[in-house]
Amino acid sequence: MTRIRVLFAALAVALCVPAAGIGSGNGLPTTIGKGEGQLNLVAWEGYTQKQWVAPFTKATGCKVNKKYAGSSDEMVTLMRSGGGSQYDMVSASGDASLRLIYGKDVQPVNVNLIPDWKSFAPQLRSPAHNTIGGQHYGVSLQWGPNTLLYNTTKVKPAPTSWAAIYDAKYKGKVTVPDNPIQIADAALYLSKSKPSLGITDPYELNQKQFDAAVSLLKKQRPLIKKYWALASDEIDLFKNGDAVIGATWPYQTNTLVAAKVPVKDLIPKEGATGWADTWMLSAHAKHPNCAYLWLKWVSTPKVQAQQAIYFGETPANPKACPIMNKLSPGSAAQYHCGASAAYFNSIKFWKTPVADCGNGQKDCMDYTKWQQAWTQLKG
């Protein structure tokens, strides 16, 4: 709940990453051996809670040692520390996963050794942020959309478009994440409001498209009350009346509703960006068997439900939905568990921008440019 999703520059060329530890002739394990006794994780705070870690250790003998990271940038740094062998796994978001793959910091995994993977929502079995050329570099875990949040008593009529957060009538009352990925949010809005720009993917922007998105954010800058880094920052802004509209996650909305703050959220007509996390295995993992046992464990419906409720997010495994409702009535609907294909298709999940535009051209702005533009915008 306190994660800060900070992005950084991605390397431009994807390379095949050799597997470490257990393996078969093609570099992937075909079975899971006996656990090595411990497992060293880099994780978002809230991803290694006692209620599902303790039973895992009891069942497998793998003692979990965790290191919480406060940003995606920190996760990448930690996974490269000690020659890349200090930590076995990382719960990488889509903004970090491609960096880890392209940097050869993580290895491919055999999803056939994870029985519950087949039950995952189709969109999260082989998403672009953790699967390259049909090769899986991890197993999806949880996800969430970036929605439009508004105070129902202050924002009328109810908004239907992202245009509302660029509207001068809310000057000084707008809040959005302190995150360069907001460039993608602006690009997504422009893809619908200015189709002549030809934006088809908000993470693949040529110079003209990129400049248009940055220009829109510059115009928005005087409207911003605060760029929020923590979920609690945004919650406080809405509670205090300092903000009446902004970009959010479902966790903030549900927390505010529970506190009886008059708010609602929605995915506007243009769609939304979103985040999805992946457990990834270090290319130099010292405890690969425990790592695979962990992948199996955290993919099961019960553990997925426990984590979703604790953290305030949506499980990759829809079989967790009824368990969520048993643990916390109504929680599955709150977090869109078992979302329809149409709902998924309205979300453009984070991926690290690279120069390769995916259409044979190499003129897209890579993440170095995104970070520079965001720093200049805020400065």
Side-chain angles (χ1 to χ4, degrees), residues 8-15 17 76 80 95-105 132 352-356 362 366-368:
F8 200 66
L11 297 177
V13 181
L15 300 174
V17 183
V76 173
R80 292 173 178 170
D95 51 348
S97 52
L98 288 180
R99 276 190 281 162
L100 292 166
I101 294 170
Y102 297 161
K104 299 191 289 186
D105 302 299
I132 296 178
T352 307
V354 295
D356 187 342
K362 304 286 186 180
D366 67 23
Y367 206 76
T368 301

Side-chain angles (χ1 to χ4, degrees), residues 52-75:
W52 59 87
V53 170
F56 167 77
T57 298
K58 183 177 180 180
T60 65
C62 300
K63 180 183 177 182
V64 174
N65 304 306
K66 60 185 180 293
K67 170 66 176 178
Y68 290 138
S71 70
S72 289
D73 187 33
E74 184 181 358
M75 284 188 169

Side-chain angles (χ1 to χ4, degrees), residues 97-149:
S97 52
L98 288 180
R99 276 190 281 162
L100 292 166
I101 294 170
Y102 297 161
K104 299 191 289 186
D105 302 299
V106 294
Q107 62 177 281
V109 300
N110 185 354
V111 295
N112 293 321
L113 296 179
I114 315 301
D116 282 288
W117 176 84
K118 295 179 180 178
S119 298
F120 283 8
Q123 297 86 347
L124 294 175
R125 291 178 200 158
S126 307
H129 55 265
N130 68 26
T131 306
I132 296 178
Q135 181 65 70
H136 302 274
Y137 288 87
V139 174
S140 297
L141 181 64
Q142 306 273 339
W143 64 276
N146 299 309
T147 59
L148 176 61
L149 176 69

Side-chain angles (χ1 to χ4, degrees), residues 32-41 52-65 89 287-298 300 303:
I32 303 175
K34 182 179 179 181
E36 299 90 353
Q38 66 175 312
L39 180 64
N40 300 320
L41 305 177
W52 59 87
V53 170
F56 167 77
T57 298
K58 183 177 180 180
T60 65
C62 300
K63 180 183 177 182
V64 174
N65 304 306
M89 304 185 77
H287 311 103
N289 289 314
C290 280
Y292 266 90
L293 291 170
W294 177 254
L295 287 175
K296 286 181 62 177
W297 185 263
V298 296
T300 57
V303 176

Side-chain angles (χ1 to χ4, degrees), residues 286-341:
K286 293 180 178 179
H287 311 103
N289 289 314
C290 280
Y292 266 90
L293 291 170
W294 177 254
L295 287 175
K296 286 181 62 177
W297 185 263
V298 296
S299 299
T300 57
K302 181 178 179 181
V303 176
Q304 289 251 315
Q306 289 175 315
Q307 180 173 321
I309 290 172
Y310 182 86
F311 197 90
E313 55 192 352
T314 309
N317 190 345
K319 288 187 176 180
C321 302
I323 302 175
M324 288 180 69
N325 283 331
K326 288 182 179 179
L327 296 173
S328 178
S331 60
Q334 280 185 323
Y335 293 107
H336 306 284
C337 188
S340 66

Side-chain angles (χ1 to χ4, degrees), residues 197-201 204-206 209 351 354-364:
L197 287 169
I199 297 173
T200 58
D201 187 321
E204 296 175 355
L205 305 175
N206 61 31
Q209 296 165 341
K351 61 180 180 180
V354 295
D356 187 342
C357 294
N359 58 2
Q361 301 298 315
K362 304 286 186 180
D363 61 347
C364 278

Side-chain angles (χ1 to χ4, degrees), residues 192-214:
K192 304 298 183 182
S193 61
K194 291 188 177 181
S196 60
L197 287 169
I199 297 173
T200 58
D201 187 321
Y203 307 100
E204 296 175 355
L205 305 175
N206 61 31
Q207 187 72 63
K208 180 180 178 180
Q209 296 165 341
F210 182 78
D211 289 346
V214 173

